[in-house]
Amino acid sequence: MLENKDIMKEIDINGIEPADETKRQYYYMAKAAKYIKEQEEQAGRKLTYYVQNFGCQMNARDAEKLAGVLEKIGYVEAQDENADFVIYNTCTVRENANLKVYGRLGHLRGIKRKNPFMRIGLCGCMMQESQVVEKIKKSYRHVDLIFGTHNVFKLAELMVTMLEQNQMVIDIWQDTDKIVEDLPTERKYKFKSGINIMFGCNNFCTYCIVPYVRGRERSRKPEDIIREIKTLVADGVVEIMLLGQNVNSYGKNLDEPVSFAKLLEMMEEIEGLERIRFMTSHPKDLSDELIEVMAKSKKICRHLHLPLQSGSSRLLKEMNRRYDKEQYLKLAGKIKSAMPDISLTTDIIIGFPGETEEDFLDTLDVVKKVEFDNAFTFIYSKRTGTPAATYENQVPEDVAKDRFNRLLKEVQEIARKKASVYENTIQQVLVEEVNEQDSALVTGRMSNNLLVHFPGDESMIGTMQEVKLKECKGFYYIGEQA
Ligand code: 5AD
Ligand code: SF4
């Protein structure tokens, strides 16, 4: 890892910009820092930033990278949008994610009018859609900076351009094969962290916009990933979440291919690292090798998120998922027999074009047979540019809602039943925070992702505790130290 502090000191902002991309970005951080200092003097106070994240864990990790750069530049974190630099890291996986951003952007207009130092940035998946950028250019002129998913690493450089000129700065890349290592990050939790192991997706499920906004699959080199984890562990991290749209195809396109299971085996060796999580797995790529490695691992958590999307083989084909109902059931069975205590969770889409009652009953059937520990259920949302958006037989809203409610009821009943089996057992719990409602309690997480509240204090945060689970409250437990 490059020593950030030293890099900042060594930089001559009047000299030529370095060729190495990481160093170039530090050069721009130093340059932006000078502008921010000047503005601080004018304002007579520190300038503040606020990063609002929308969407998935991948975006949450990007948000930490944005915050890392902004802190280096000299901004201090604000608690809300009354800040000098507000950036929205957007999501576009479903339509309502987009609507939220437009709503909040409207609200920012009034705040900006009152603060001459305020700048507004937008980045993330939504910005990769040209019609979105056109709409912002036309109707949201108070936005200062727009960039996308492929050039998040360029924030410092773009900030400099924004601070030097008085018009909207837009920089959207269509795709990239570039992965820039070693930039600063500002972690939300001291003891756990997300880690990108790959970017992009090659699967083109017909409903999904991700491959269009996140580009083609690119894996980071194992040595870069391991090095990052070791640095994090030295800094107090005990739990990591490996992030990728399809972690099971990790490493296939590296110059020296490495399987995801092999990568996990390398991580198992890292001293001080206690828990490894990962998401998301695509059923079509989940190997026997992975199941074997998971089953014998002491660190990989007993939780697997395995999106089903639909239980109907006909719809799965229409969705381009490349597995059918039987194959999914077989895979889930194999995983459960290798690890009887595994918690299986899933994603399900209701109302995909052409979904019939019979298709829906197939989905319910899989839910009942697999007995998922939890499921994220979504009503299909039409995304412009995806194949399914052009399918004619879209499902009426009321039909989709009715199926959605029936599905949710089933999912919740099963989840409740599954969660209750741990009553009176003793479990290892990683303490995450002081309980929000009752400060005499702390909240922690079991390996299988269930939450437990038990008496404790702030000093326990980030430590592993043995907890007796006293009472199951549906989706969480009340316990006490064993
Ligand atoms: N409509 C509804 N849900 C979607 N997802 C992805 N695209 C769509 C869409 N167009 C869901 C899938 C995926 C999860 C992250 O979001 O279930 O697994
Ligand atoms: Fe979207 Fe399918 Fe890729 Fe997941 S695997 S991100 S659902 S295209």
Side-chain angles (χ1 to χ4, degrees):
M1 187 66 134
L2 295 162
E3 267 306 321
N4 301 347
K5 281 188 221 115
D6 298 343
I7 297 184
M8 288 293 271
K9 264 192 236 141
E10 275 171 21
I11 293 165
D12 171 12
I13 54 170
N14 299 311
I16 47 164
E17 50 167 59
D20 172 77
E21 190 58 66
T22 304
K23 289 191 180 141
R24 259 186 90 237
Q25 291 310 317
Y26 273 98
Y27 166 87
Y28 281 110
M29 278 176 238
K31 218 166 170 168
K34 182 174 149 265
Y35 290 133
I36 295 306
K37 200 144 198 70
E38 284 167 11
Q39 292 199 0
E40 274 175 11
E41 278 161 20
Q42 282 175 36
R45 59 178 174 81
K46 286 293 239 182
L47 293 196
T48 58
Y49 76 92
Y50 183 68
V51 180
Q52 174 68 51
N53 192 52
F54 297 86
C56 66
Q57 310 239 16
M58 199 78 101
N59 263 21
R61 184 63 179 155
D62 279 349
E64 293 184 345
K65 295 178 185 171
L66 298 171
V69 170
L70 293 171
E71 297 251 342
K72 272 271 169 305
I73 292 176
Y75 284 100
V76 292
E77 193 182 6
Q79 293 313 307
D80 58 32
E81 280 139 317
N82 289 297
D84 299 297
F85 186 61
V86 172
I87 182 157
Y88 289 162
N89 187 26
T90 63
C91 167
T92 187
V93 76
R94 287 170 291 275
E95 177 67 16
N96 52 8
N98 294 41
L99 298 177
K100 262 191 232 158
V101 169
Y102 290 127
R104 292 180 72 150
L105 264 186
H107 174 67
L108 284 189
R109 196 178 270 132
I111 303 181
K112 193 177 181 190
R113 248 183 235 131
K114 294 188 203 122
N115 178 2
F117 295 98
M118 187 175 184
R119 296 281 206 282
I120 298 169
L122 294 174
C123 63
C125 295
M126 212 176 136
M127 300 306 124
Q128 292 295 139
E129 295 179 277
S130 53
Q131 78 274 17
V132 169
V133 176
E134 284 313 309
K135 181 168 170 163
I136 291 163
K137 269 163 60 181
K138 204 162 137 248
S139 311
Y140 298 87
R141 299 289 316 158
H142 57 301
V143 170
D144 300 281
L145 173 62
I146 301 179
F147 57 101
T149 55
H150 302 300
N151 52 352
V152 179
F153 71 88
K154 256 185 93 176
L155 173 65
E157 185 177 349
L158 294 168
M159 292 291 287
V160 167
T161 315
M162 179 188 81
L163 293 164
E164 284 176 349
Q165 68 184 50
N166 237 344
Q167 56 182 329
M168 201 187 275
V169 176
I170 303 176
D171 189 14
I172 309 285
W173 296 6
Q174 283 323 308
D175 207 345
T176 187
D177 52 11
K178 204 163 175 158
I179 300 177
V180 184
E181 298 287 344
D182 295 332
L183 287 173
T185 55
E186 190 62 31
R187 289 202 315 276
K188 198 169 162 199
Y189 298 97
K190 181 134 186 54
F191 58 90
K192 68 170 180 178
S193 179
I195 294 177
N196 301 103
I197 61 164
M198 59 197 302
F199 302 92
C201 181
N202 286 353
N203 289 313
F204 291 94
C205 302
T206 54
Y207 51 81
C208 186
I209 198 150
V210 169
Y212 305 90
V213 296
R214 288 259 171 195
R216 295 295 65 73
E217 244 170 59
R218 310 171 294 289
S219 296
R220 284 176 75 195
K221 292 195 202 109
E223 56 268 31
D224 287 337
I225 299 171
I226 300 290
R227 190 164 48 108
E228 183 180 356
I229 298 173
K230 285 185 174 163
T231 310
L232 288 167
V233 169
D235 195 35
V237 167
V238 291
E239 178 176 304
I240 53 167
M241 165 76 90
L242 308 175
L243 302 170
Q245 303 297 346
N246 177 14
V247 292
N248 300 103
S249 71
Y250 169 81
K252 287 186 181 155
N253 302 321
L254 285 169
D255 292 340
E256 290 167 48
V258 180
S259 70
F260 179 54
K262 283 274 170 336
L263 180 73
L264 287 169
E265 278 184 326
M266 289 180 214
M267 287 174 194
E268 187 86 18
E269 306 292 313
I270 299 177
E271 217 163 296
L273 178 64
E274 299 196 38
R275 279 183 172 177
I276 305 169
R277 300 184 182 278
F278 55 83
M279 76 185 333
T280 290
S281 291
H282 194 306
K284 81 175 164 65
D285 295 314
L286 199 142
S287 66
D288 289 350
E289 187 196 11
L290 175 67
I291 300 175
E292 238 171 73
V293 168
M294 277 185 90
K296 66 170 193 254
S297 167
K298 296 206 162 41
K299 296 187 177 175
I300 303 173
C301 288
R302 284 295 184 256
H303 174 210
L304 187 69
H305 186 66
L306 193 64
L308 166 69
Q309 313 299 6
S310 169
S312 151
S313 294
R314 190 185 71 81
L315 275 196
L316 285 167
K317 204 166 172 41
E318 296 277 311
M319 289 176 165
N320 191 29
R321 290 290 291 177
R322 284 171 276 178
Y323 55 85
D324 62 20
K325 179 181 177 183
E326 295 314 315
Q327 284 165 325
Y328 189 97
L329 286 172
K330 205 168 143 207
L331 178 62
K334 200 154 62 174
I335 295 165
K336 283 181 163 193
S337 60
M339 293 167 280
D341 57 345
I342 193 122
S343 160
L344 266 184
T345 58
T346 200
D347 290 342
I348 297 170
I349 299 175
I350 285 301
F352 181 82
E355 183 188 72
T356 62
E357 180 64 17
E358 203 185 342
D359 293 321
F360 173 70
L361 292 176
D362 267 332
T363 300
L364 267 189
D365 188 43
V366 176
V367 166
K368 284 182 193 157
K369 286 194 169 122
V370 175
E371 296 200 302
F372 292 108
D373 293 78
N374 205 352
F376 298 97
T377 49
F378 307 105
I379 289 190
Y380 168 74
S381 170
K382 193 170 168 176
R383 308 314 291 130
T384 311
T386 62
T390 62
Y391 295 175
E392 275 167 11
N393 39 3
Q394 303 280 329
V395 176
E397 211 179 303
D398 56 335
V399 176
K401 280 216 171 112
D402 173 63
R403 287 180 192 154
F404 181 87
N405 291 336
R406 284 152 66 201
L407 173 69
L408 197 63
K409 191 162 163 277
E410 194 66 53
V411 162
Q412 287 181 343
E413 262 166 37
I414 295 171
R416 237 181 234 118
K417 187 182 101 187
K418 294 284 305 256
S420 69
V421 303
Y422 299 98
E423 217 156 66
N424 291 320
T425 63
I426 293 174
Q427 301 285 338
Q428 295 284 325
V429 173
L430 177 62
V431 180
E432 299 202 336
E433 58 196 6
V434 172
N435 188 286
E436 275 175 21
Q437 268 99 48
D438 181 351
S439 61
L441 300 178
V442 289
T443 299
R445 205 176 283 272
M446 287 161 48
S447 170
N448 68 8
N449 221 28
L450 276 177
L451 289 178
V452 186
H453 308 295
F454 65 100
D457 60 45
E458 208 180 337
S459 69
M460 286 180 180
I461 295 175
T463 65
M464 205 69 89
Q465 300 285 336
E466 290 216 321
V467 179
K468 173 141 196 221
L469 306 181
K470 309 260 297 180
E471 193 188 352
C472 183
K473 296 271 195 185
F475 303 108
Y476 63 90
Y477 272 95
I478 300 293
E480 64 183 23
Q481 258 179 300

